[in-house]
Amino acid sequence: MATKKKQPAASETSESIEKQMQEFLARGGQIDKIDSGVSGQSQLTGSRHISLGNNKAKS
């Protein structure tokens, strides 16, 4: 039977992230503010238009 490690408390995680962020900034790192709704993913394909239903063209 495998034993699971207990996850650290959320406050420990938040403190760890805060510490890492401060170290990053101290080394000259920069944090950029990104506007809401902006994605870093590139769209590699064109938009996909899908039609629902059975509306086939009649000849």
Side-chain angles (χ1 to χ4, degrees), residues 11-31:
S11 61
E12 292 176 4
T13 304
S14 296
E15 291 168 5
S16 173
I17 292 171
E18 178 69 25
K19 181 180 176 186
Q20 292 173 31
M21 184 179 68
Q22 293 303 327
E23 291 171 357
F24 172 76
L25 294 172
R27 290 191 310 265
Q30 180 180 350
I31 298 175

Side-chain angles (χ1 to χ4, degrees), residues 6-58:
K6 185 176 180 183
Q7 292 294 324
S11 61
E12 292 176 4
T13 304
S14 296
E15 291 168 5
S16 173
I17 292 171
E18 178 69 25
K19 181 180 176 186
Q20 292 173 31
M21 184 179 68
Q22 293 303 327
E23 291 171 357
F24 172 76
L25 294 172
R27 290 191 310 265
Q30 180 180 350
I31 298 175
D32 298 328
K33 179 171 175 24
I34 307 298
D35 292 332
S36 179
V38 175
S39 173
Q41 295 181 346
S42 299
Q43 186 169 353
L44 301 175
T45 61
S47 62
R48 295 183 181 174
H49 296 280
I50 60 170
S51 298
L52 301 177
N54 194 9
N55 294 335
K56 293 184 180 180
K58 295 181 182 180

